[in-house]
Amino acid sequence: MLGKVDRTSRSSLPSIRNLDIRRTIRKNLAHYDRASERLILEQVYFYGRVKRHHPWRIILAVDESGSMLSNVIHSAVMAGILAKLPMLDTRLVIFDTAVADLSGYVDDPVEALMSIQLGGGTDIAKALTYCESLITDPPSDHGGADQRPL
């Protein structure tokens, strides 16, 4: 698990880094074996962790006109890699004269490439207008992580 130990929360995931030794000993004192002078642990307790990352939204806008087709393949693979990182919210938008949002397919680059078939000219303004609608900046008063466009 990532982040700093949070001593106010509990976790069921066993990790020696998160071991709450005081609570573990205190809760298991009833199971102390006087004959062998050993503490028998029936339950082990762990702290939770605070995640230290801020989610970022990555928007890949890729021109898929005829001369740029090889770039679409590389971009779909890169989107698949970026989508596996927990701190990133990856969006894949391909365009020519039309715009196609393939964000739902970023986990599978082959499916992303097979799901559409564009071709023709290039309308960058239309693509950037659509990408602008994907940019979010939630209010910071909730105390959570903020998202900022790259």
Side-chain angles (χ1 to χ4, degrees):
M1 296 189 71
L2 299 173
K4 182 180 174 185
V5 171
D6 180 8
R7 299 194 187 281
T8 62
S9 71
R10 304 288 175 228
S11 174
S12 60
L13 297 174
S15 170
I16 193 67
R17 293 178 63 206
N18 302 340
L19 180 63
D20 184 350
I21 191 71
R22 289 183 182 181
R23 185 170 189 226
T24 299
I25 291 172
R26 188 177 63 242
K27 294 284 189 173
N28 287 288
L29 281 175
H31 309 292
Y32 181 75
D33 183 14
R34 292 184 187 269
S36 64
E37 296 183 345
R38 291 187 182 190
L39 181 62
I40 299 171
L41 301 179
E42 294 208 358
Q43 180 70 37
V44 181
Y45 297 91
F46 300 94
Y47 292 118
R49 289 203 170 253
V50 176
K51 292 182 181 177
R52 289 190 305 188
H53 62 79
H54 299 285
W56 287 71
R57 176 167 285 173
I58 304 282
I59 302 170
L60 298 173
V62 183
D63 180 1
E64 205 227 9
S65 59
S67 63
M68 304 297 275
L69 187 56
S70 64
N71 292 337
V72 175
I73 296 168
H74 296 290
S75 299
V77 171
M78 182 55 78
I81 293 168
L82 294 174
K84 299 293 183 192
L85 299 174
M87 72 283 298
L88 295 180
D89 174 23
T90 306
R91 302 300 174 108
L92 177 61
V93 176
I94 64 170
F95 66 94
D96 54 12
T97 55
V99 177
D101 188 344
L102 301 180
S103 300
Y105 300 105
V106 293
D107 291 331
D108 186 4
V110 174
E111 184 68 30
L113 292 171
M114 297 306 202
S115 65
I116 57 95
Q117 186 171 13
L118 301 175
T122 302
D123 189 350
I124 295 174
K126 183 188 255 184
L128 292 180
T129 300
Y130 179 77
C131 290
E132 185 179 24
S133 72
L134 298 176
I135 297 172
T136 60
D137 190 17
S140 60
D141 61 321
H142 60 78
D146 60 299
Q147 292 181 340
R148 295 186 184 129
L150 288 177

